[in-house]
């Protein structure tokens, strides 16, 4: 089954986070991830609002988690730490 990687983000340092975004995209693509949503209009109905929301589709939960732990993504993530407040989850799809 496929999986969705869902991130809710508040950027606190745009320059550092820009470096994260520059590196994260290729790391995600290397693991078969494709972006479904990146920013864009949203309506917060419940919970804490984060102004940036990103959804990527992966072939499976396992591949999405493997991507997260990969050296390429961890390098990208080193630029996001301290430059953002974020929640990230992987959810298996029913397709």
């Amino acid at each position: 089954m496929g999986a969705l990687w869902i991130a809710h983000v508040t950027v606190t340092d745009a320059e550092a986070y820009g470096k994260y975004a520059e590196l994260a995209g290729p790391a995600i693509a290397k693991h078969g991830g494709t972006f479904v949503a990146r920013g864009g209009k949203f309506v917060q109905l419940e919970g804490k609002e984060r102004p940036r929301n990103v959804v990527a589709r992966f072939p499976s939960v396992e591949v999405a988690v493997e991507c997260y732990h990969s050296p390429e993504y961890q390098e990208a993530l080193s630029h996001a730490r301290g430059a953002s407040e974020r929640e990230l989850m992987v959810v298996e799809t029913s397709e």
Side-chain angles (χ1 to χ4, degrees):
M1 293 223 178
L4 297 176
W5 168 312
I6 305 169
H8 305 291
V9 183
T10 299
V11 175
T12 57
D13 179 339
E15 185 176 333
Y17 199 80
K19 183 66 173 172
Y20 159 78
E22 179 183 316
L23 296 171
I28 289 168
K30 180 178 179 179
H31 290 87
T34 58
F35 289 100
V36 176
R38 254 180 136 167
K41 183 178 177 181
F42 73 96
V43 176
Q44 185 74 32
L45 297 175
E46 294 185 18
K48 182 173 178 68
E49 182 172 311
R50 299 270 186 207
R52 182 161 176 77
N53 299 283
V54 178
V55 179
R57 183 182 317 277
F58 282 86
S60 68
V61 168
E62 294 77 16
V63 171
V65 172
E66 178 182 299
C67 175
Y68 180 85
H69 291 291
S70 72
E72 299 88 359
Y73 187 76
Q74 288 299 304
E75 169 63 21
L77 192 56
S78 73
H79 298 281
R81 291 190 177 110
S84 62
E85 298 171 3
R86 33 187 276 143
E87 289 84 35
L88 175 64
M89 71 181 75
V90 175
V91 179
E92 188 172 60
T93 62
S94 57
E95 300 172 348

